[in-house]
Amino acid sequence: MESNFVYGANVRANGIRQHYLRYSRNGSQAQPMILVPGITSPAITWGFVAERLARHFDVYVLDVRGRGLSETGDALDYGIDTCAADITAFAAALSLNRHVLAGHSMGARFAIRVAARGARGDRSIDKLVLIDPPVSGPGRRPYPAKLPWYVDSMRECREGAGVDAMRKYCPTWTDEQLRLRAEWLHTCHEKAVIDTFNGFHEDDIHADLPSLDVPTLLIAAGKGDVILPADEEEIARLNGSIQTVRVAGAGHMIPWDDYEGFFAAFGSFLGAPL
């Protein structure tokens, strides 16, 4: 099968080096899409999703600061406001106007903050896709995943762990998926991940939801416990324009669990079915 991968590159935006991977079948003739992965997912791990999206969009998969090949280190700020500013600056640096902004988990929380800020001025976002964002926050139930799951697996990968070691963390994944995670997980900076995890419980993304004024699709995992039915009802009360779809057979890592179901969940939200 012919790949839609175009190139990987770096750009300086919001004061740091940001690395990204571009996937596109029709180049700049297609609408741009920025895809922001989750807490321990470098851009390369979303390549299999970007390949499919690139049939319709000019896709830019971002290495969030502290992950993959983007700038990293203890001195960087990994808070939600800074990471949201990274995305805005990235889009501006590459002149990605009227783009689709899609984020998974952590990336979806950052995307909410970007779009909420955009409602107060920046109008570069055309549509917003939120893929199973953690709905934890001040005074709310904690995020169901535990921090040692991330920290322990990263430390093992820094020591050279392979597929077998990763299987105990992701027992339902294929060897190919586990191999890619083992190869790249060591690039996730421990402080970045810890700060992000803490932010899941300290940052109030619900306060941003009422101000979202671009078409928004929420894709929730049917088998996961990140977004419960009560959470879905609260989101609807906060912003009744948000469309919600559940992928019945998938856990939090939705396209890993149900690849076709993930793309079917978009329906006609982005135009032609994916």
Side-chain angles (χ1 to χ4, degrees):
M1 181 182 298
E2 184 178 355
S3 175
N4 291 318
F5 176 70
V6 183
Y7 58 75
N10 298 284
V11 64
R12 189 157 190 86
N14 199 31
I16 66 165
R17 183 193 72 256
Q18 298 193 44
H19 177 261
Y20 64 96
L21 302 176
R22 186 181 182 187
Y23 295 79
S24 187
R25 179 174 293 181
N26 298 307
S28 58
Q29 296 179 10
Q31 183 180 17
M33 172 187 285
I34 299 174
L35 181 57
V36 187
I39 185 170
T40 54
S41 295
I44 189 66
T45 64
W46 276 78
F48 74 109
V49 175
E51 286 278 6
R52 176 82 162 256
L53 292 169
R55 298 177 188 176
H56 304 273
F57 296 91
D58 187 13
V59 183
Y60 297 77
V61 192
L62 187 62
D63 267 333
V64 176
R65 61 168 61 201
R67 285 90 175 168
L69 301 181
S70 283
E71 194 161 332
T72 189
D74 288 341
L76 290 187
D77 177 11
Y78 297 103
I80 189 172
D81 288 327
T82 298
C83 291
D86 282 350
I87 298 167
T88 300
F90 176 80
L94 296 181
S95 299
L96 302 180
N97 299 314
R98 307 306 299 166
H99 63 271
V100 175
L101 178 58
H104 172 248
S105 193
M106 171 195 77
R109 288 173 65 94
F110 293 169
I112 290 170
R113 184 59 53 91
V114 172
R117 287 179 167 182
R120 299 188 290 271
D122 177 12
R123 310 302 301 176
S124 63
I125 300 173
D126 181 49
K127 292 181 179 179
L128 184 66
V129 180
L130 309 173
I131 307 164
D132 219 41
V135 291
S136 46
R140 297 180 176 275
R141 63 184 176 85
Y143 181 54
K146 305 302 181 184
L147 184 59
W149 187 91
Y150 299 105
V151 173
D152 293 349
S153 60
M154 288 189 297
R155 287 177 177 169
E156 288 193 37
C157 285
R158 287 199 300 271
E159 294 171 359
V163 171
D164 290 338
M166 289 299 98
R167 187 170 287 112
K168 66 176 178 284
Y169 296 101
C170 307
T172 64
W173 288 23
T174 67
D175 282 358
E176 182 180 6
Q177 292 166 345
L178 293 169
R179 187 172 295 109
L180 193 61
R181 185 164 180 82
E183 179 185 1
W184 282 90
L185 189 59
H186 75 92
T187 69
C188 295
H189 189 66
E190 188 167 310
K191 181 178 185 297
V193 172
I194 292 172
D195 287 358
T196 296
F197 185 88
N198 290 337
F200 286 171
H201 303 89
E202 297 166 357
D203 301 321
D204 184 8
I205 61 163
H206 290 77
D208 292 333
L209 295 177
S211 65
L212 301 183
D213 64 352
V214 297
T216 302
L217 176 66
L218 172 65
I219 301 178
K223 288 186 175 179
D225 51 1
V226 173
I227 300 178
L228 300 177
D231 302 315
E232 187 177 332
E233 292 170 4
E234 181 182 12
I235 291 169
R237 289 195 301 270
L238 290 170
N239 190 326
S241 68
I242 297 176
Q243 302 178 42
T244 302
V245 179
R246 284 193 176 270
V247 182
H252 183 57
M253 303 299 285
I254 298 176
W256 279 256
D257 292 344
D258 187 352
Y259 183 73
E260 292 298 336
F262 171 70
F263 290 105
F266 285 85
S268 60
F269 178 76
L270 297 178
L274 301 178

